[in-house]
Amino acid sequence: MPEKIAVLPCDGAGKEVVPEAIKVLRAAGADFAFEEFDVNADAYLRTGHAITPEVWNDLQKADAILFGAVGDPRVNDAAYLAGVLLRLRFELDLYVNLRPAKLYDDRLSPIRREDRRQVDLLIVRENTEGIYVGLGGRFKKGTKDEVALQEDVNTHGGVTRIIEHAFAVAKREVVMVDKSNAMTHAGGLWQDRWKAVAAQHSNVKTRHLYVDAAAMQLVKDPTQFDVIVTGNLFGDILSDLTAELVGGMGVAPSANLNPATGRGLFEPVHGTAPDIAGQGIVNPTGAILSASMMVKHLGFPDMADAIEGAVESAIGARECTRDIGGNLSTSQAGDAVVKRLSD
Ligand code: IPM
Ligand code: MG
């Protein structure tokens, strides 16, 4: 039985990069059944559903979800984003968000010191809790007395399982990032769980950083990091920073996983890119590398390595889009990777 891959390009740049990722997967020999679903702003405006019940049903049955990006200027409605991406993360319980940042070519680094450029790190972001859960409200809305509350939800189980996952994937060190000096309740729970889990992994080096110091260290010398584990919001912010250390948002991939159920959703980090979408110039690298993470997750590590190697080779030869120093279109950049896999 071929793996069933649910394809959700969704909106904007997502529609342009996901076909490139599929093209590359096919060239790499992935004999999967790809099924595309009509989840996008047009469907939302037409049906009133971010994801219709029928599509939701089908998504549950897929072995993996290949995702593009969600958002549209015509839909000025947080419910749409919450009803697609956040719903998938929460309801499929994809509690691990892996965001690797690896420098494939020296010219893509913004760091001046040559010896501090060779980044190869992984952010392990908690993906189902924190301030993303949407608990809170606005009281006396629109008046001068308005009060807005946004709760930061952290659970014993949620914090424990994400820290455990960080140790499961670390090679040399796990750095836990929080803001426990100011956010003492949530930070206190993170600290307690961190110490308890770390004590069971004395073979791996450990370090703790407050998030402000972590941001500073990531710019100063990102080569010091292997695995960073952190909460939902800090992981969101730091992973944009780390993307920029290796070539920008166009190259950053991610995997949203539940290691226990095997479910996974794979998406480039860049979003819909409304400023450049639709012109055939968006960078497909983040989507292609997300597809590589998908096949690794599905049990094809050699295929994943081949795709990553082909991406690295294409970037090295400047056969890539403008944002990373080439002059190819989105689909030509996809072809440059395909060519290397077919040789
Ligand atoms: C990301 C994005 C999302 C997030 C947005 C679109 C809700 O920024 O995947 O990093 O904050 O998780
Ligand atoms: Mg983000």
Side-chain angles (χ1 to χ4, degrees):
M1 269 289 277
E3 273 71 10
K4 275 175 64 174
I5 310 299
V7 180
L8 299 183
C10 298
D11 303 304
K15 289 191 178 137
E16 295 174 80
V17 297
V18 169
E20 300 310 311
I22 293 176
K23 195 162 89 181
V24 168
L25 284 169
R26 290 209 165 102
D31 180 24
F32 300 159
F34 295 99
E35 188 179 355
E36 186 169 328
F37 291 96
D38 199 26
V39 174
N40 48 56
D42 289 326
Y44 180 62
L45 292 169
R46 199 176 62 238
T47 65
H49 287 283
I51 301 177
T52 63
E54 301 78 56
V55 171
W56 183 260
N57 216 14
D58 287 338
L59 292 179
Q60 311 259 25
K61 295 182 205 138
D63 293 304
I65 300 172
L66 193 58
F67 196 87
V70 63
D72 187 292
R74 290 170 301 159
V75 184
N76 196 4
D77 179 358
Y80 174 51
L81 177 64
V84 181
L85 185 59
L86 298 183
R87 180 176 181 202
L88 286 161
R89 287 179 182 169
F90 292 166
E91 291 190 27
L92 300 181
D93 198 24
L94 306 174
Y95 68 90
V96 176
N97 191 328
L98 297 180
R99 298 199 156 181
K102 185 168 171 184
L103 186 72
Y104 290 111
D105 193 290
D106 200 61
R107 72 167 198 278
L108 300 183
S109 176
I111 305 278
R112 271 158 54 104
R113 277 187 52 170
E114 219 179 313
D115 60 327
R116 293 183 175 177
R117 290 186 193 147
Q118 213 51 54
V119 178
D120 185 3
L121 62 79
L122 177 68
I123 293 186
V124 178
R125 168 186 175 186
E126 202 296 318
N127 214 28
T128 52
E129 302 192 342
I131 65 157
Y132 278 73
V133 301
L135 262 188
R138 297 176 66 177
F139 177 56
K140 297 188 183 174
K141 192 172 173 183
T143 73
K144 283 188 183 148
D145 297 322
E146 179 165 351
V147 178
L149 294 178
Q150 191 89 41
E151 298 297 338
D152 182 16
V153 175
N154 298 267
T155 68
H156 183 287
V159 175
T160 305
R161 66 183 181 172
I162 196 67
I163 294 174
E164 273 170 355
H165 193 79
F167 280 99
V169 294
K171 286 177 243 150
R172 36 183 186 92
E173 187 194 37
V174 180
V175 177
M176 194 277 269
V177 168
D178 67 13
K179 188 66 187 173
S180 51
N181 50 352
M183 299 163 66
T184 53
H185 308 308
L189 176 60
W190 275 82
Q191 285 291 330
D192 288 350
R193 299 318 303 147
W194 166 242
K195 284 171 195 149
V197 177
Q200 294 164 5
H201 297 273
S202 46
N203 53 326
V204 180
K205 270 177 47 187
T206 58
R207 190 157 48 118
H208 167 258
L209 286 174
Y210 297 123
V211 66
D212 48 351
M216 179 269 284
Q217 289 293 344
L218 277 167
V219 174
K220 188 175 176 189
D221 181 10
T223 64
Q224 67 182 283
F225 292 101
D226 173 22
V227 167
I228 294 174
V229 63
T230 190
N232 210 337
L233 179 63
F234 297 151
D236 175 50
I237 297 168
L238 292 181
S239 60
D240 271 24
L241 193 164
T242 56
E244 214 52 50
L245 295 174
V246 297
M249 296 306 285
V251 304
S254 78
N256 301 254
L257 305 174
N258 183 313
T261 63
R263 287 186 191 278
L265 179 151
F266 302 83
E267 57 160 339
V269 180
H270 53 61
T272 54
D275 52 330
I276 54 166
Q279 302 169 38
I281 58 169
V282 295
N283 190 343
T285 305
I288 293 169
L289 290 173
S290 300
S292 159
M293 294 180 83
M294 180 178 85
V295 294
K296 187 168 176 193
H297 175 72
L298 291 172
F300 306 96
D302 294 345
M303 199 186 287
D305 288 348
I307 294 172
E308 199 186 339
V311 166
E312 178 163 18
S313 158
I315 291 174
R318 287 185 186 261
E319 291 178 36
C320 51
T321 49
R322 274 173 251 182
D323 54 308
I324 51 171
N327 60 11
L328 300 186
S329 70
T330 305
S331 78
Q332 288 169 334
D335 291 343
V337 177
V338 164
K339 183 176 82 188
R340 288 166 168 82
L341 289 165
S342 324
D343 281 351

